[in-house]
Amino acid sequence: MAGEIRGLYVHPVKGLSPQELSSVALEPGCGVPYDRAFALARPDGTYTPGLAEPLPKTQFFMLARDASLAGYRTHFDPETGVLRAERDGRTVLEAALTTDDGAAAVTTFFAEALGLSTPPVLARVDGRRFTDVSVVSDAMMNAVSLVNLASVRALGERLGTELDPRRFRANIYYDGLPAFSERDLVDEEITIGGLRLRGVLATKRCAATQVNPETADRDIDLPRRLHQEFGHNEMGMYAEVVTGGTVRPGDPVDHPVTG
């Protein structure tokens, strides 16, 4: 059986909105370029500029705790380093994350947006990503995340609603393979177009998925409902890139199907 890539996304700043990609070049052992390359560290936390030691996600502002972040549509330009944020169709921020003045403008803006008396610290360290699984290992830090749209639909059908797949903040969304077949892919090989990936970890879901990406409201307790309906709280998987190349929507996805 073969599926098909339906969407590619990058999340340049941890906790902020995803950007859709028309294609992405992947290299062996590396994640999606610029994915979670920046984060907003909590000012009372343990992150200090340049710290290369991985920290748990609770040290950063993210949707599991800070649902209001979903109210902003953000876009990062890797060529200029500029982050733009919109709210209600209006540009409310435009500053370069890669300069000191721009970083100060970004952290000041989000301090006001989040109602903080002390601005966040912009986290950026060459060669590191602020992914949830960076604390597991450097290899996991560079894994790509995949979500099976059939699994999202299966959950939505049980709940009697259509779920926005962006709740699950994946890099690669695919369709055409059985719902939850990805749960059996740890240590198995996945082929996407001409690339090979290896499944390394099923993705256990947290409170971030409660947040509706359109309204920024916590409207469904998806981890709890996943467990109620299917006996687990997994949706999607992490995979490491084994052989590199460029992937695009429409590329075929093949993986072993059990059961």
Side-chain angles (χ1 to χ4, degrees), residues 5 143-149 168-174 182 185 190 192 197-199 201 203 205 235-240 253 255:
I5 292 178
V144 297
S145 56
L146 296 89
V147 159
N148 180 354
L149 292 175
F168 302 101
R169 300 181 66 77
N171 299 129
I172 299 173
Y173 293 89
Y174 66 94
E182 66 276 14
L185 292 182
I190 308 153
I192 298 180
L197 291 81
R198 181 180 297 109
L201 184 71
T203 309
R205 291 302 171 175
M235 178 68 77
M237 63 178 173
Y238 291 100
E240 64 175 336
V253 177
H255 66 59

Side-chain angles (χ1 to χ4, degrees), residues 80-94:
T80 64
V82 170
L83 178 73
R84 187 179 70 252
E86 296 182 355
R87 189 175 181 91
D88 301 325
R90 181 173 62 91
T91 299
V92 292
L93 171 70
E94 195 164 358

